[in-house]
Amino acid sequence: MSEIQLSSIFAVVAVISSLALLGYFSWKTLMTSNIFQKGVTLYQQENYKSAEAAFRQVIAINSTNDVVHLLLGDTLMQQGKVEEATQQFQDVINRAPKKVDAYLRLANALMRLERKESAIATLQQARDLLQAQRQVQKLEEVNRILEKLKK
C-alpha cells in the first residue's frame, strides 16, 4: 500500500472514532438531562423519594454536577434526612468553595440539627462570600439572620 492510502485509512478511522465519541457523549448528555428534568418535576410534585432516586441516578452519571447535589440535599431535607443533606451541601462546598447557595443550605441544615454555632460560622462564611461577590440584597438578609441567631 502506498503512503497516501495508509494516511487516508488512518484519517477515516480517526474521523469515525471521533464521531462515535461525539455520539456517545451526546447520548449521555441527553439521558442525564432527561433524568435531571424528571427529578425536578418529581420534586415539584413533592414526590421526594422518587426525586431523590432520580437525582442519585444523575450523580451516578456525572458526580461533579453541583446543582444536582444541591437539589438532592434539598430533597433529603424534605424527607427529614438532614444529616445526609448536610453531607451533600458540604461536598458542594468542598468542590466549589465560592458557591454561596451551598453555605446557606448547609446553615439551614445545621440549624435543624440544632448546631447553632456551626450554623453561625457557616453563615459568616456565606456573608463574606456575598460581600466579595457584591450581592447586596442577599448580604443584608444573611446579616439579619446572623443578628437574630446571635441574640
Side-chain angles (χ1 to χ4, degrees):
M1 269 197 232
S2 72
E3 250 181 69
I4 295 173
Q5 286 177 326
L6 281 176
S7 61
S8 295
I9 291 171
F10 286 130
V12 169
V13 169
V15 168
I16 290 172
S17 298
S18 296
L19 289 173
L21 281 172
L22 182 62
Y24 169 75
F25 287 119
S26 296
W27 173 81
K28 187 175 174 183
T29 300
L30 181 62
M31 292 299 297
T32 303
S33 177
N34 288 341
I35 299 166
F36 173 78
Q37 192 55 51
K38 178 182 174 186
V40 170
T41 300
L42 290 165
Y43 183 89
Q44 290 170 338
Q45 295 171 347
E46 298 180 8
N47 185 345
Y48 301 119
K49 187 174 183 177
S50 296
E52 176 187 348
F55 292 138
R56 288 190 187 281
Q57 196 174 357
V58 172
I59 289 170
I61 296 168
N62 180 0
S63 64
T64 61
N65 188 322
D66 294 335
V67 172
V68 179
H69 281 278
L70 292 175
L71 289 170
L72 175 58
D74 292 342
T75 303
L76 293 167
M77 290 282 289
Q78 291 293 336
Q79 296 178 80
K81 300 176 181 177
V82 183
E83 285 286 350
E84 285 182 66
T86 300
Q87 188 58 53
Q88 292 299 316
F89 303 140
Q90 191 61 59
D91 287 349
V92 172
I93 290 168
N94 292 342
R95 267 192 315 282
K98 293 184 181 181
K99 194 168 275 298
V100 177
D101 288 343
Y103 289 91
L104 297 175
R105 286 174 161 108
L106 177 59
N108 181 43
L110 292 169
M111 286 301 298
R112 284 192 50 189
L113 292 170
E114 298 181 7
R115 297 183 194 160
K116 185 178 176 180
E117 294 305 315
S118 294
I120 289 171
T122 302
L123 281 172
Q124 288 170 334
Q125 288 175 297
R127 179 195 60 204
D128 294 345
L129 286 170
L130 289 168
Q131 200 165 14
Q133 296 171 5
R134 295 188 172 105
Q135 294 187 40
V136 178
Q137 191 173 1
K138 278 188 177 181
L139 177 61
E140 290 172 1
E141 188 178 332
V142 168
N143 280 330
R144 280 193 296 274
I145 294 168
L146 278 168
E147 285 178 34
K148 287 181 184 177
L149 288 175
K150 289 179 179 179
K151 288 182 182 179

